[in-house]
Amino acid sequence: MRLDKFLGITGCCTRSEAKKRVRGGSVTVNGVCASSSDAQIDPERDEIAYCGKPVIYRKYTYIMMNKPEGVVSATEDGRDRTVLDLLPDGVRKAGLFPCGRLDKNTLGLILLTDNGALGHRLLAPKSHVEKRYYFRSKFPITEAEAARFASGLVLEDGYETKPAKIDLEGEGDCGVITLVEGKYHQIKRMLEALQNKIVYLERISFGPLTLDPTLARGEWRYLTEDEIHALENH
Ligand code: URA
């Protein structure tokens, strides 16, 4: 693999910055100052350091994105922009996919990875991965309705939802809903079952991951080592 590609995918710097960084002496390969950003390295064997710190090579890519409105959670779409379209060239790569779906008008945390086995496990219904959403509804939700979330709501197609949690805030027309499943339009349909309507929906956590408040809408970052560890051991 080329050194500039390695520096890009490990999040040290962008591929285009790599040349300058290598020239500036910030990169060593097996303890020796790298001479050229297009040098070939073996990511499994060579020890690369950036600004004096060893760079951990991961076979898989893990990205947290703050999904904006109007973007679809898909790898490609004939009509709309996808979450992958928000990644720059060099980061977007074959095999990367959104782990789970958010509706086009839902905002917030979405995980992108090319680790198919992990994605599959996290999305499997039996994994019961917790997802938390901040919501606002058209009408206030009563305590009695909130209790129906805990016992399972019957949706318009007869499906009975798994016990969910709702923590009401303010006047009862906003708060946090916690789900352990992810049926199509689930929260919107749960509110419809109460003759109510979602007017704002934002995912604030997914399993052990919490939406990074420093990420503006449409921004993304690589997961930290701790986050990857937490995800892999979830
Ligand atoms: N529930 C919904 O209705 N939409 C989402 O995007 C996520 C959960």
Side-chain angles (χ1 to χ4, degrees), residues 101-103 106 133 185-188 201:
R101 280 178 184 265
L102 291 179
D103 298 338
T106 301
Y133 297 83
H185 288 336
Q186 179 156 346
I187 293 181
K188 290 176 185 153
L201 195 58

Side-chain angles (χ1 to χ4, degrees), residues 154-180:
V154 178
L155 303 183
E156 83 294 347
D157 60 357
Y159 177 76
E160 187 178 336
T161 59
K162 296 214 158 46
K165 199 167 138 224
I166 182 162
D167 293 305
L168 296 174
E169 292 172 14
E171 307 289 306
D173 58 354
C174 60
V176 175
I177 293 175
T178 307
L179 298 183
V180 291

